């Protein structure tokens, strides 16, 4: 008897349907798995054999052929244990079930218990797209699977429990618990802007960056608050929508970074890798490509402290994701594309000792050392940064000021209003913020009045913007105008944008 069981394979952060075909025929006892399995899939033979026996069932002493279709797709990991075991039990006549519209996912231990898997959310999302109606998943992953609407989720503790359910000897209740989207959103906690003394110009710039999704570079001496400002940026970003949260959660699920207590990412990611992070750690990679830090910061903030200390190759690899909002990793077996729509917030000292230009502490670096340090950031990478901020030392009077400062909640509401202004403008397109606009869309949406055009013409002659810098200035001015609820970019909007575009390091 031929049995067909549905399961899934992960390709990047997406899942594809895999059909497990099991055929038991006369012959010497042997289990053959075909369909491009890797070593972990081949080892399923021994795990499944022990699990079936320890579940109180009989493992057929005949020739068993397991085909994982489609055959051209490389099968990786232990996802196929449970569907193979169910296929063998169905093919041998030990259970009789209709597997149409059902997905089976799970790794088996030798005693028959079903273990946790990475990538449950994208696999269940694929099942929904394919029109399947129910999934059997490890009990530890039921809450994550339940985030996808329209799918009946059945948590499985062990193979024996599942067999007993199919025999009608016990009940396997459908999963109905978990954290709702509304409850999850109430758990949002971030660093608040009201805790940062002084730096009013930087707070305003961060509000502009959050409103339009613009990249920021902060330059200042140690202890001036660059890290606090970067962390506070996440507090003023608008909350994730449910589709965005599922999109981000897919990346974290594949990476094995999902919490059992809260399997849905409800806060915009804030990633802060150390400057010793390798190229593969930042961009993603490996024999089987996996997401790097830039994909883990998708829809959130990527904070790179000590910016010039990062590996040059790793920094230069940011250029394509910053433009295209995706990263493509190519290997001999094929290419995978991961999303990478993040806000880059970089921070650096003005020199190796950190005190170049500081009015209090003397810099001990020579001019040659300062120039060499600042030139570690290439011109093309600098051209992709929208906002340049000088973060000076904070005075004693500002640190001791007890006045109540504006909280992040109020700023976030203004940011949300500006984002909504943009969403209304971009309705019918894939754009979500001004930073996502291409050159053609800048021409379409960045209307500028006559006085602002004259200012821009003068600025182009004096500052010598590149074409990319020109378009980024207009996108930045468009954001400032949106914050002012203005359809037209005016002189004051452009002037503020030009102020942010003034670089405060040598290039």
């Amino acid at each position: 008897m031929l049995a067909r069981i549905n399961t899934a394979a992960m390709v990047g952060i997406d899942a594809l349907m895999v059909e497990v075909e099991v055929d038991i025929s006369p012959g010497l006892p042997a289990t053959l798995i075909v369909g491009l399995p890797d070593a972990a899939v081949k080892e399923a033979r021994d795990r499944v054999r022990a699990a079936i026996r320890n579940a109180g069932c009989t493992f057929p002493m005949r020739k068993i052929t397991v085909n994982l279709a489609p055959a051209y797709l490389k099968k990786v990991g232990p996802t196929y244990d449970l569907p193979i075991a169910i296929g063998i039990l169905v093919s041998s006549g030990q259970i009789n079930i209709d597997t149409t519209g059902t997905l089976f996912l799970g790794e088996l231990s030798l005693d028959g218990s079903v273990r946790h898997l990475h990538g449950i959310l994208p696999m269940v999302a694929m099942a929904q797209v394919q029109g399947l109606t129910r999934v059997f998943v490890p009990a530890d992953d039921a809450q994550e699977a339940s985030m996808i609407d329209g799918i009946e989720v059945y948590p499985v503790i062990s193979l024996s429990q599942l067999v007993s359910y199919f025999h009608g000897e016990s009940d396997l209740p459908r999963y109905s618990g978990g954290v709702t989207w509304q409850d999850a959103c109430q758990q949002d906690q971030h660093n608040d802007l009201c805790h940062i003394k002084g730096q009013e110009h930087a707070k305003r710039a961060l509000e502009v960056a959050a409103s339009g999704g613009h990249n920021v570079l902060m330059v200042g001496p140690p202890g001036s608050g660059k890290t606090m400002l970067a962390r506070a940026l996440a507090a003023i970003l608008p909350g994730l929508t449910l589709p965005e949260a599922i999109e981000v959660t897919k990346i974290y699920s594949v990476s094995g970074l999902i919490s059992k207590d809260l399997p849905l990412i409800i806060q915009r990611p804030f990633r802060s890798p150390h400057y010793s992070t390798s190229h593969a750690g930042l961009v993603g990679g490996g024999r089987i490509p996996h997401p790097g830090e830039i994909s883990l910061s998708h829809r959130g903030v990527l904070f790179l402290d000590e910016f010039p200390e990062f590996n040059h190759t790793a920094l230069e690899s940011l250029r394509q994701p910053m433009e295209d909002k995706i990263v493509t990793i190519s290997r001999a077996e094929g290419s995978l594309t991961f999303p990478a729509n993040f806000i880059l917030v970089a921070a650096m000292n003005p020199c190796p000792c950190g005190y170049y230009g500081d009015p209090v502490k003397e810099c001990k670096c020579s001019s040659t050392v300062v120039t060499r340090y600042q030139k570690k950031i290439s011109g093309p990478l600098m051209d992709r940064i929208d906002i340049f901020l000088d973060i000076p030392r904070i005075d004693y009077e500002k640190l001791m000021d007890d006045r109540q400062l504006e909280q992040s909640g109020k700023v976030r509401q203004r940011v949300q209003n500006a984002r909504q202004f943009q969403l209304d403008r971009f309705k019918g397109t894939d754009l979500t913020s001004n930073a996502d606009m291409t050159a053609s869309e800048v021409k379409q949406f960045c209307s500028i009045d006559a006085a602002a055009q004259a200012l821009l013409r003068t600025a182009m002659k004096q500052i010598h913007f590149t074409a990319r810098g020109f378009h980024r200035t207009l996108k930045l001015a468009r954001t400032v105008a949106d914050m002012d609820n203005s359809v037209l970019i005016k002189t004051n909007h452009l002037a503020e944008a030009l102020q942010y575009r003034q670089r405060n390091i040598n290039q």
Side-chain angles (χ1 to χ4, degrees):
M1 177 181 177
L2 178 65
R4 290 186 172 91
I5 308 297
N6 295 320
T7 187
M10 291 303 305
V11 180
I13 65 167
D14 297 316
L16 294 178
M17 180 79 80
V18 171
E19 187 176 61
V20 179
E21 299 177 320
V22 180
D23 178 72
I24 301 178
S25 59
L28 293 175
T31 303
L32 179 64
I33 301 178
V34 297
L36 283 184
D38 74 342
V41 180
K42 291 179 180 179
E43 291 171 353
R45 294 176 297 192
D46 301 313
R47 290 194 298 271
V48 169
R49 182 186 297 112
I52 288 179
R53 288 173 175 171
N54 290 321
C57 301
T58 302
F59 188 83
M61 300 305 293
R62 304 175 72 184
K63 182 179 180 181
I64 302 173
T65 303
V66 178
N67 179 42
L68 307 177
Y72 66 82
L73 182 65
K74 182 76 173 178
K75 315 303 186 307
V76 179
T79 309
Y80 310 97
D81 290 6
L82 182 61
I84 289 175
I86 295 298
I88 291 175
L89 294 175
V90 171
S91 183
S92 62
Q94 298 183 61
I95 58 176
N96 184 18
I97 58 172
D98 180 12
T99 59
T100 305
T102 305
L103 192 76
F104 291 88
L105 304 168
E107 174 188 352
L108 290 175
S109 61
L110 297 184
D111 64 358
S113 59
V114 183
R115 296 178 180 270
H116 159 73
L117 285 179
H118 296 329
I120 285 290
L121 187 70
M123 289 189 280
V124 176
M126 178 276 303
Q128 181 197 47
V129 173
Q130 293 292 332
L132 305 186
T133 57
R134 63 175 182 171
V135 295
F136 290 89
V137 300
D140 290 342
D141 301 321
Q143 189 174 5
E144 181 181 345
S146 67
M147 295 298 172
I148 303 299
D149 294 330
I151 295 288
E152 297 178 1
V153 177
Y154 292 88
V156 182
I157 298 174
S158 66
L159 181 60
S160 60
Q161 177 198 29
L162 191 56
V163 170
S164 178
Y165 168 69
F166 288 142
H167 285 161
E169 298 171 356
S170 64
D171 187 29
L172 183 62
R174 174 184 171 185
Y175 184 82
S176 59
V179 180
T180 65
W181 172 248
Q182 291 76 15
D183 292 338
C185 290
Q186 293 174 4
Q187 299 177 17
D188 188 16
Q189 293 180 351
H190 287 292
N191 295 337
D192 202 291
L193 277 176
C194 68
H195 299 147
I196 301 175
K197 304 294 184 178
Q199 311 294 14
E200 284 77 11
H201 73 293
K203 294 179 185 180
R204 166 65 182 181
L206 290 183
E207 183 178 346
V208 174
S211 298
H214 301 288
N215 302 317
V216 181
L217 173 62
M218 296 183 288
V219 181
S224 56
K226 300 187 295 294
T227 301
M228 285 187 67
L229 286 165
R231 293 186 178 277
L233 176 61
I236 61 175
L237 287 172
L240 287 170
T241 63
L242 184 54
E244 287 176 336
I246 291 176
E247 183 182 6
V248 173
T249 303
K250 284 183 179 181
I251 302 172
Y252 279 72
S253 179
V254 170
S255 304
L257 300 176
I258 293 294
S259 167
K260 291 182 180 179
D261 298 328
L262 187 60
L264 184 69
I265 303 297
I266 50 88
Q267 298 179 5
R268 289 192 180 270
F270 180 90
R271 304 293 298 183
S272 180
H274 191 261
Y275 60 76
S276 61
T277 301
S278 66
H279 173 270
L282 190 63
V283 178
R287 184 180 64 84
I288 301 171
H290 59 273
E293 290 291 340
I294 62 175
S295 293
L296 292 172
S297 59
H298 179 62
R299 301 294 183 187
V301 175
L302 176 63
F303 177 48
L304 301 183
D305 201 4
E306 305 295 344
F307 199 38
E309 303 297 340
F310 278 81
N311 178 275
H312 176 75
T313 303
L315 286 183
E316 291 304 302
S317 65
L318 292 173
R319 288 159 55 177
Q320 180 249 343
M322 290 171 69
E323 287 288 330
D324 301 335
K325 310 302 182 184
I326 58 172
V327 58
T328 302
I329 302 173
S330 298
R331 294 291 182 267
E333 298 177 353
S335 298
L336 290 178
T337 298
F338 298 111
N341 190 351
F342 57 88
I343 297 177
L344 174 66
V345 179
M348 60 180 286
N349 297 327
C351 67
C353 78
Y355 295 102
Y356 177 74
D358 188 83
V360 177
K361 195 165 183 178
E362 182 181 359
C363 173
K364 298 181 180 180
C365 305
S366 67
S367 58
T368 302
V369 171
V370 172
T371 302
R372 185 186 304 119
Y373 180 79
Q374 294 184 352
K375 284 185 175 295
K376 286 184 178 182
I377 314 300
S378 69
L381 183 56
M382 291 286 286
D383 211 27
R384 288 166 168 82
I385 295 175
D386 302 313
I387 298 176
F388 298 89
L389 290 176
D390 184 25
I391 310 297
R393 179 189 295 271
I394 306 175
D395 297 333
Y396 171 82
E397 288 73 16
K398 291 183 178 179
L399 289 173
M400 294 301 294
D401 191 349
D402 292 332
R403 288 180 297 176
Q404 180 65 39
L405 301 178
E406 188 175 40
Q407 295 182 338
S408 292
K410 293 183 179 179
V411 181
R412 188 189 307 116
Q413 186 58 54
R414 294 199 298 268
V415 170
Q416 182 66 59
N417 293 339
R419 286 282 184 120
Q420 189 58 52
F421 202 81
Q422 295 164 46
L423 289 174
D424 293 340
R425 180 193 305 120
F426 300 142
K427 194 171 183 179
T429 71
D430 294 331
L431 301 178
T432 58
S433 65
N434 288 331
D436 297 338
M437 287 191 290
T438 63
S440 61
E441 290 157 343
V442 167
K443 184 176 182 180
Q444 179 181 355
F445 296 117
C446 295
S447 302
I448 184 170
D449 68 12
Q453 285 189 37
L455 175 60
L456 183 59
R457 185 181 301 108
T458 302
M460 281 289 293
K461 293 178 180 179
Q462 295 181 357
I463 304 176
H464 306 295
F465 283 141
T466 63
R468 181 185 291 111
F470 172 78
H471 289 122
R472 286 188 175 273
T473 301
L474 282 177
K475 288 191 280 189
L476 196 55
R478 177 70 270 169
T479 298
V480 178
D482 290 341
M483 296 170 67
D484 202 23
N485 293 325
S486 175
V487 176
L488 204 62
I489 297 176
K490 300 179 181 178
T491 306
N492 59 314
H493 305 142
L494 183 61
E496 184 174 353
L498 290 170
Q499 173 191 337
Y500 295 138
R501 293 290 300 169
Q502 295 297 312
R503 298 182 182 182
N504 41 15
I505 67 173
N506 297 323
Q507 280 292 326

